[in-house]
Amino acid sequence: PAGARTLTLADYDSLGRLGGILATEADRLLDGLGDGRGPQRHGALELLSALAHFHPEGRHTRQSLGWEQACRQAGQGFDAEAQARGQRLIDALAGQRSEPAAQHARLRLLTVSGSAADAHSGDTRRVDLIHEALLRCRPGEANRPYWPRLVEYLNAHKDRDLLRQNLRQEAETWQGWGRRARLFDGPGLGALRRYQAVQYLAIDNERAYLHAAGRMARMRSVLVGGSALVLFAGALILPPVFQKNIPDWLATDEGHD
């Protein structure tokens, strides 16, 4: 087109080749997402870093998220308003610009595949990073990432990938435990609080585990604190059959009322 400038090889090299161009455009897009102290940029970095597998030597790789996971992570919440905010942010990062400043950015940072739920099938949409170069360092330069902003954020939250793996394993193990083991051998509240950093990424069975384990941990803290000692003191004079069933009763929903 008239007035268009040809990108020479020298220009291409000076811009850092493909990775450098990606980083420049990625910064421009991120800077156009509202106030730097507002939720848009924070939500964007939370989502983008969650779409990466952390590697201690910098060989980070992409990982996709389901649509609802991505919306919760971008919107940083479970309620409808947060998920709607997350969807708008995903749209912006996937190339559907609404903010005037962001419209000048040419790059898409995300891709969305699959389709929304309909009468015949569930939601199959997946969200992924557009290019793995956003996560990598320049060849032979381990301390020069193509996109420093994202890599620095990923390094600062490098424990989250391991937290997600641990949460997945604990949720699976929990399914095989009986009520008595869940009540007396389950994780404490302190251990469960570690997962607040990845709570929006939890899938259904992981969220159910966090809810149930938290309920059991609170019940256990009451027992340890002595608030239920009267119940157990009374059990000493009850017939053995009732003593035997008290832990089972505490491990049911009735025991929490």
Side-chain angles (χ1 to χ4, degrees):
R5 183 172 178 269
T6 301
L7 181 68
T8 66
L9 181 58
D11 291 332
Y12 185 61
D13 286 335
S14 67
L15 290 171
R17 295 182 172 265
L18 176 60
I21 294 172
L22 281 172
T24 299
E25 292 298 314
D27 275 333
R28 184 182 300 180
L29 172 54
L30 210 60
D31 289 339
L33 295 173
D35 186 345
R37 293 170 295 180
Q40 294 96 333
R41 293 189 198 175
H42 175 70
L45 286 169
E46 284 289 312
L47 174 60
L48 293 168
S49 61
L51 291 167
H53 272 305
F54 176 82
H55 190 282
E57 296 180 4
R59 295 192 293 274
H60 314 306
T61 55
R62 293 181 293 174
Q63 63 176 341
S64 66
L65 292 176
W67 178 254
E68 290 188 3
Q69 283 179 292
C71 288
R72 291 195 302 264
Q73 182 71 358
Q76 289 290 283
F78 292 105
D79 58 90
E81 181 180 351
Q83 293 192 55
R85 182 170 62 246
Q87 180 171 347
R88 291 193 298 271
L89 184 53
I90 291 171
D91 287 343
L93 295 174
Q96 300 179 32
R97 314 282 194 257
S98 57
E99 298 85 350
Q103 290 177 356
H104 298 294
R106 296 182 292 272
L107 178 70
R108 292 185 302 149
L109 296 182
L110 303 178
T111 61
V112 180
S113 59
S115 57
D118 57 28
H120 305 290
S121 62
D123 196 324
T124 62
R125 287 174 292 182
R126 306 288 299 179
V127 179
D128 203 349
L129 287 175
I130 189 74
H131 201 289
E132 211 154 74
L134 295 170
L135 303 171
R136 295 300 185 88
C137 291
R138 301 166 190 270
E141 300 179 83
N143 295 320
R144 285 193 67 200
Y146 282 120
W147 191 18
R149 189 183 297 195
L150 178 56
V151 173
E152 288 168 6
Y153 196 88
L154 184 60
N155 288 335
H157 302 87
K158 59 187 178 182
D159 62 323
R160 292 186 179 179
D161 214 26
L162 181 58
L163 282 174
R164 291 175 66 186
Q165 294 176 41
N166 290 344
L167 176 57
R168 186 180 308 117
Q169 293 171 358
E170 287 183 21
E172 292 173 356
T173 301
W174 181 264
Q175 296 300 315
W177 282 12
R179 291 178 300 177
R180 190 183 295 258
R182 289 182 178 185
L183 177 61
F184 294 108
D185 301 324
L189 291 173
L192 293 172
R193 288 192 191 101
R194 297 177 304 157
Y195 296 122
Q196 289 180 346
V198 295
Q199 60 180 321
Y200 304 126
L201 298 169
I203 58 177
D204 289 346
N205 72 309
E206 295 165 354
R207 292 169 63 187
Y209 158 67
L210 291 174
H211 175 75
R215 187 173 60 183
M216 292 295 184
R218 287 188 292 273
M219 189 65 192
R220 189 163 56 251
S221 68
V222 169
L223 296 176
V224 172
S227 298
L229 287 179
V230 173
L231 174 62
F232 281 94
L236 295 176
I237 60 175
L238 291 175
V241 64
F242 291 108
Q243 295 180 35
K244 177 181 178 182
N245 290 332
I246 285 175
D248 290 337
W249 174 76
L250 288 172
T252 65
D253 289 336
E254 293 180 2
H256 304 148
D257 296 334

